[in-house]
Amino acid sequence: MCGIVGVISSTPVNQLIYDALLLLQHRGQDAAGIVTMQGTKCFMHKARGMVRDVFRTRNMRALPGNVGLGQARYPTAGNAYSEEEAQPFYVNAPYGIVLVHNGNLTNAQALKQELFDVDRRHINTESDTEVLINVLAHELERSGRTLPLTPDQVFEAVAAVHRRVKGSYAVVALIAGHGLLAFRDPYGIRPLCFGEGEGSGDGGREIMVASESVALEGTGHRLTRDVAPGEAIFIDEAGRLHSRQCAEAPTLNPCIFEFVYLARPDSVLDGISVYHARLNLGESLAQRLISTMPPSAIDVVIPIPESSRPSAMQLAHRIGKPYREGFVKNRYVGRTFIMPGQAVRKKSVRQKLNAIGMEFKGRNVLLVDDSIVRGTTSREIVQMAREAGANKVYLASAAPPVRHPNVYGIDMPTKEELIAHGRSIEEIRQYIGADALIYQDVDAMKRAVGALNKSLAGFEASCFDGRYITGDVTASDFAALQAQRRLQFDLVDGGDDGPGRSRLALQGAAEGAEERA
């Protein structure tokens, strides 16, 4: 779930990329990096931590050039604690290539061995991004038989990448002396879009590629469209845009968790307004609730901040009950997912959220969350509502039970960590301590979001339905994933009981504070 961006302009792009990464900060807080290119020379700075902490004035001054790319990292593969695995990645042959990647390669280990045995390329980290850039480099070397490199040769290389690589990947790459390349996996699992703007008022053409439309709009660009699944776009140094479908049988199956939790509500992904999708999820959840319990039993509907708000508002409107803000979120404390140990985590939930007693006292309260992953945060919040004086506490989730791991770029826990794995709804309710627990239905969730774009083939919804659309995921893959997590991650709860993170965000922020001091 990283945030990636690339820009080609007639003016310097360092500040523009920085601003775009700030708008994509929600997609990754563990590390950040920017590369710019002047002529054929690359300038790079990357480190652990938040965007605002990684880049100081001196770093920005050292990033000249009118073309560049950047990433806000959220690690799901490799060593989360290694600064070497922060992106962008660079290889010097052929041409000089720099690349950022959002997603997860499901055949990374097999590719790594193939690169060594057949392609004679050495991989020095555990990052699947290093695997991906080397596969691209090898295929560009094979297709780029003449100089200068032509768009046809670039697209031929991307087609070969699609044939070799499995999993999810949205990619932005710079090819030194040639231009900017962006492409998306044949299922369109992870988002990628592009748009145009004016190069700082000089009349020149400026093209930006980014994970979400909010990065374009927030930097003064007009959204042109999404990159299609399997498609590659290549912007040459003159600013000319070339595009081609490079996959044999592409289908659009975006990750549905983007609409539930991951993306900003003001973004539009694959023609779907994230905000509208969450309103539809609230409407569908209301129908589910009405079939489960009488709305007359509810006095007030309260969201668990923040991404559940649109769903909670629509649900409240649908059942004719007042919507109230019952929790105040303190944005200036450490995130719950960076706190070591369960006892400290529970304390941090109390520091992060504070209940407004008058909205709870003597009332039957329906709490609405976007999703329930591990259940520990939900349990603590239900208890907070009771302590604030609630008579009854009901909990509704705008997403279905999360029963399966995710292998396509979300740091979802292994199945043993998932509260819904192997448990009935009643068992989950008892653990959380709610008086009633209402989940969204899987098919209803797909209909609610899919109604906003009829051209979608479907959704990647494996964490809910257990279907892995790339067709190459095996039991041994899950065993390897579990072993990797146990070795490399000290995971605790996500901010809204969502996907987990590592401690890198805390470490990066601390290092940034020391530098400023």
Side-chain angles (χ1 to χ4, degrees):
M1 193 194 79
C2 302
I4 60 175
V5 61
V7 184
I8 188 163
S9 178
S10 57
T11 58
V13 296
N14 53 355
Q15 183 67 52
L16 185 57
I17 295 171
Y18 176 87
D19 293 341
L21 288 181
L22 288 178
L23 292 164
L24 296 172
Q25 184 73 86
H26 62 286
R27 300 189 65 86
Q29 301 90 37
D30 291 274
I34 293 176
V35 162
T36 58
M37 200 170 280
Q38 193 171 53
T40 58
K41 186 173 182 180
C42 295
F43 301 85
M44 181 188 300
H45 179 71
K46 59 181 180 177
R48 294 178 297 173
M50 307 279 274
V51 174
R52 66 174 183 261
D53 299 315
V54 168
F55 298 100
R56 318 311 304 168
T57 301
R58 65 178 179 275
N59 306 130
M60 298 298 288
R61 286 174 176 164
L63 294 169
N66 296 354
V67 59
L69 50 76
Q71 192 217 38
R73 186 186 186 217
Y74 167 93
T76 58
N79 186 343
Y81 296 94
S82 171
E83 196 160 289
E84 290 181 354
E85 298 195 6
Q87 296 185 36
F89 270 77
Y90 167 78
V91 292
N92 68 348
Y95 314 112
I97 303 169
V98 191
L99 181 145
V100 289
H101 160 224
N102 173 30
N104 192 59
L105 307 189
T106 53
N107 66 336
Q109 291 305 312
L111 282 172
K112 185 175 181 179
Q113 195 62 46
E114 185 179 287
L115 284 164
F116 183 79
D117 293 339
V118 180
D119 299 345
R120 297 296 186 260
R121 285 183 171 269
H122 176 252
I123 306 300
N124 199 48
T125 71
E126 295 302 315
S127 172
D128 61 343
T129 305
E130 188 183 13
V131 172
L132 181 55
I133 191 174
N134 275 275
V135 171
L136 176 62
H138 180 77
E139 298 304 334
L140 279 170
E141 192 167 29
R142 294 180 63 184
S143 65
R145 294 173 291 275
T146 61
L147 286 177
L149 188 65
T150 67
D152 286 344
Q153 292 169 336
V154 173
F155 296 143
E156 182 183 333
V158 173
V161 170
H162 286 326
R163 290 191 292 269
R164 294 181 66 178
V165 172
K166 304 296 182 184
S168 66
Y169 48 97
V171 174
V172 182
L174 299 180
I175 306 173
H178 293 86
L180 186 147
L181 169 67
F183 58 92
R184 198 174 175 194
D185 72 73
Y187 294 94
I189 298 173
R190 301 262 72 86
L192 194 65
C193 61
F194 68 94
E196 293 191 38
E198 300 298 330
S200 297
D202 68 345
R205 193 181 189 194
E206 188 171 85
I207 299 177
M208 175 181 284
V209 185
S211 294
E212 294 186 30
S213 63
V214 68
L216 305 177
E217 294 161 356
T219 53
H221 294 77
R222 299 176 301 278
L223 173 65
T224 301
R225 62 176 175 87
D226 296 281
V227 177
E231 182 187 21
I233 65 170
F234 179 67
I235 304 112
D236 62 30
E237 289 193 306
R240 295 182 294 261
L241 189 147
H242 313 264
S243 66
R244 181 181 297 178
Q245 178 53 252
C246 298
E248 295 177 359
T251 59
L252 182 54
N253 295 267
C255 172
I256 203 163
F257 217 78
E258 292 278 357
F259 302 98
V260 170
Y261 174 82
L262 301 179
R264 269 181 50 156
D266 47 343
S267 282
V268 177
L269 308 180
D270 293 307
I272 296 175
S273 160
V274 176
Y275 180 76
H276 197 169
R278 290 174 186 171
L279 289 177
N280 281 11
L281 289 172
E283 183 76 20
S284 177
L285 183 60
Q287 296 172 13
R288 180 80 168 179
L289 182 144
I290 291 169
S291 67
T292 304
M293 63 183 294
S296 59
I298 299 167
D299 295 321
V300 64
V301 177
I302 294 176
I304 298 174
E306 298 195 11
S307 47
S308 65
R309 284 188 173 121
S311 297
M313 284 191 293
Q314 191 66 16
L315 183 151
H317 176 75
R318 179 72 169 79
I319 66 173
K321 294 296 178 180
Y323 168 91
R324 294 288 186 269
E325 292 286 344
F327 294 102
V328 176
K329 191 170 186 177
N330 184 354
R331 302 175 185 276
Y332 303 102
V333 297
R335 290 173 172 77
T336 57
F337 54 70
I338 59 175
M339 295 301 166
Q342 181 69 19
V344 178
R345 182 186 317 148
K346 291 174 69 173
K347 178 183 177 183
S348 181
V349 172
R350 303 288 181 132
Q351 292 173 333
K352 186 176 182 181
L353 289 179
N354 190 47
I356 301 173
M358 63 178 288
E359 297 295 352
F360 293 91
K361 192 170 184 180
R363 291 177 169 177
N364 295 337
V365 176
L366 174 66
L367 303 179
V368 179
D369 207 349
D370 49 60
S371 59
I372 302 170
V373 179
R374 297 167 182 81
T376 48
T377 299
S378 298
R379 184 178 184 179
E380 187 70 10
I381 289 173
V382 167
Q383 183 60 31
M384 288 173 64
R386 292 197 188 282
E387 292 173 5
N391 181 36
K392 297 282 187 180
V393 182
Y394 311 119
L395 179 63
S397 170
V402 179
R403 300 189 184 277
H404 309 277
N406 184 284
V407 298
Y408 297 123
I410 304 174
D411 189 22
M412 197 68 74
T414 55
K415 60 184 181 181
E416 289 78 13
E417 298 174 77
L418 299 170
I419 184 65
H421 178 75
R423 293 184 178 89
S424 67
I425 303 300
E426 174 59 19
E427 289 172 328
I428 301 170
R429 183 198 68 78
Q430 291 179 8
Y431 173 82
I432 290 174
D435 293 293
L437 176 61
I438 301 96
Y439 272 108
Q440 181 83 259
D441 177 73
V442 175
D443 290 335
M445 172 189 66
K446 293 178 181 179
R447 287 194 300 270
V449 183
L452 300 174
N453 185 350
K454 301 290 188 180
S455 67
L456 268 65
F459 290 100
E460 196 299 297
S462 55
C463 56
F464 302 114
D465 62 17
R467 293 179 58 251
Y468 297 89
I469 61 173
T470 55
D472 63 325
V473 181
T474 65
S476 61
D477 293 322
F478 292 123
L481 177 67
Q482 185 169 0
Q484 182 187 50
R485 286 176 61 85
R486 286 175 176 170
L487 178 65
Q488 295 177 341
F489 288 88
D490 179 14
L491 288 177
V492 289
D493 280 330
D496 293 317
D497 204 13
R501 310 288 205 279
S502 69
R503 292 189 193 175
L504 249 57
L506 179 62
Q507 294 173 344
E511 290 167 2
E514 290 173 359
E515 181 178 326
R516 287 191 300 274

